[in-house]
Amino acid sequence: MRKHETKQFDWEQESSSPDEENREYIEGAPEHAPSEVSANKVPRKKRKRKKKRYVLKLLLLILICVGLYFFLRSSIFNIKTINVAESTHFTAEQIQEMAGLKTGMNLFSFKGGTCADKLEENPFIREAKIKRKLPDTVTIELAERQELAILAKDKEYVVIDGEGVVLQIAEQAPQLTLLSGITIADAEENKPVSVKEETNYHKAMRILNEMVKADLYFKQIDVSEVVVKAYVTDQLYCLGKTKNLLKSMEEGNLQAVIYDLYKKGEKKAVVNVGDDEYFSVDIKSK
């Protein structure tokens, strides 16, 4: 009897119910498994929200851009006034036409740089600037080239400014300083003139520009390798080296000598300009 009870007791200790086995299986499962599932779901939701926000922002930006485009193209910004800087060569209407601008155009329907380029195609316009002023005004500013001298080429005259840019090729000689002793190799409007005697040409251009600063006018500047003749009139001229003429003009001494001759009524003379600002005047007999 005791033996039988002992066996029964052992069987109960060694056996376990199905519920206990299931409980052990569940208890043995990793504790973090449920949190992993929920953690995977959260980033997906966040990504969806971010994508929606991005799409909404993009749509909003597109709507703003479209609205701004139509607003800027509205009649509010139609040009009513075009202010044009004073010009010595063109009327305001001519400048507007060259730039391709007119009242009634939308203020944002043109490129300022393109309009400026059109103006600068004209050799007399060195630089052009186009400025907008809200809501309906355009200002055109110009820096112009001025005719300063001419060079003879065959039966024509090449008109240049102080930088040697060709402004026009004329059949008749304008009343400008004639540069002689220089042979033209090539001349094209709105480009620097090309010459054969470059050294003589640069001498003449230096004297020409200093002439403007000194408030003098030479009818003709004849340049050679040795000396320069600067004609005030056909029969009154200054003779000397380039450096001596430049220095005498810079300091105002040459102007004083010429003015003194005019006061005395001397219209035929040669003003010799030597080193150290030495002057000698040869009066020609009438």
Side-chain angles (χ1 to χ4, degrees):
M1 185 72 180
R2 290 180 180 173
K3 189 176 181 180
H4 175 74
E5 290 176 357
T6 303
K7 286 181 181 180
Q8 186 177 3
F9 175 76
D10 291 340
W11 179 87
E12 289 176 355
Q13 290 293 330
E14 290 176 2
S15 303
S16 59
S17 65
D19 292 339
E20 288 177 345
E21 288 180 359
N22 290 337
R23 185 172 64 252
E24 287 175 0
Y25 173 78
I26 293 170
E27 288 175 354
E31 295 179 358
H32 60 277
S35 61
E36 281 186 356
V37 175
S38 60
N40 289 333
K41 289 182 180 179
V42 171
R44 287 177 187 173
K45 289 181 180 179
K46 285 184 178 179
R47 284 197 295 270
K48 286 181 180 179
R49 289 197 200 101
K50 285 182 179 180
K51 190 174 181 180
K52 287 180 181 178
R53 287 175 188 165
Y54 175 77
V55 172
L56 287 172
K57 287 180 180 179
L58 182 61
L59 289 172
L60 182 61
L61 181 62
I62 292 171
L63 287 173
I64 291 171
C65 291
V66 171
L68 183 62
Y69 173 83
F70 284 105
F71 174 66
L72 294 178
R73 297 283 172 166
S74 67
S75 59
I76 297 172
F77 298 103
N78 285 352
I79 299 172
K80 293 180 182 177
T81 305
I82 300 178
N83 297 319
V84 181
E86 187 177 349
S87 169
T88 56
H89 301 101
F90 309 103
T91 64
E93 291 75 16
Q94 288 173 326
I95 292 170
Q96 290 179 38
E97 187 177 350
M98 285 190 289
L101 295 173
K102 58 184 179 180
T103 55
M105 290 177 61
N106 185 273
L107 195 66
F108 302 100
S109 64
F110 64 89
K111 293 182 179 179
T114 302
C115 295
D117 289 342
K118 288 179 181 179
L119 287 166
E120 290 170 8
E121 287 175 2
N122 191 294
F124 284 92
I125 299 175
R126 182 169 55 84
E127 185 180 12
K129 291 182 180 179
I130 312 296
K131 296 182 179 180
R132 297 178 176 89
K133 186 177 180 181
L134 297 175
D136 53 19
T137 302
V138 174
T139 299
I140 302 175
E141 297 179 356
L142 301 176
E144 294 183 297
R145 294 188 175 98
Q146 301 298 328
E147 300 166 310
L148 197 56
I150 55 174
L151 295 97
K153 183 185 179 184
D154 300 327
K155 294 182 180 180
E156 295 179 322
Y157 296 92
V158 177
V159 182
I160 62 172
D161 72 343
E163 296 176 342
V165 176
V166 178
L167 304 182
Q168 64 172 318
I169 299 174
E171 293 181 359
Q172 305 243 342
Q175 291 185 350
L176 299 167
T177 302
L178 173 65
L179 304 183
S180 56
I182 299 165
T183 308
I184 294 177
D186 187 37
E188 186 178 343
E189 286 189 358
N190 215 12
K191 291 184 178 180
V193 66
S194 176
V195 299
K196 293 180 179 179
E197 301 87 359
E198 290 190 6
T199 302
N200 290 354
Y201 170 70
H202 289 304
K203 289 179 182 178
M205 293 302 292
R206 289 178 65 192
I207 293 171
L208 185 69
N209 283 289
E210 189 59 42
M211 174 193 81
V212 176
K213 293 179 185 177
D215 197 24
L216 273 174
Y217 173 75
F218 293 132
K219 184 177 181 180
Q220 180 179 344
I221 299 174
D222 185 7
V223 186
S224 69
E225 293 182 1
V226 182
V227 294
V228 176
K229 289 181 180 179
Y231 288 82
V232 180
T233 65
D234 289 336
Q235 300 187 49
L236 194 160
Y237 62 89
C238 305
L239 179 65
K241 296 177 182 178
T242 303
K243 64 176 184 178
N244 293 339
L245 286 170
L246 287 171
K247 188 175 181 181
S248 64
M249 283 192 287
E250 287 172 4
E251 298 188 1
N253 295 326
L254 185 60
Q255 296 91 304
V257 172
I258 293 171
Y259 179 69
D260 186 59
L261 288 172
Y262 268 103
K263 279 176 66 177
K264 293 176 179 178
E266 301 292 348
K267 297 180 180 179
K268 296 180 180 180
V270 179
V271 179
N272 296 287
V273 183
D275 295 334
D276 299 323
E277 297 203 54
Y278 172 79
F279 291 91
S280 66
V281 180
D282 294 334
I283 305 296
K284 294 181 180 180
S285 59
K286 297 181 181 180

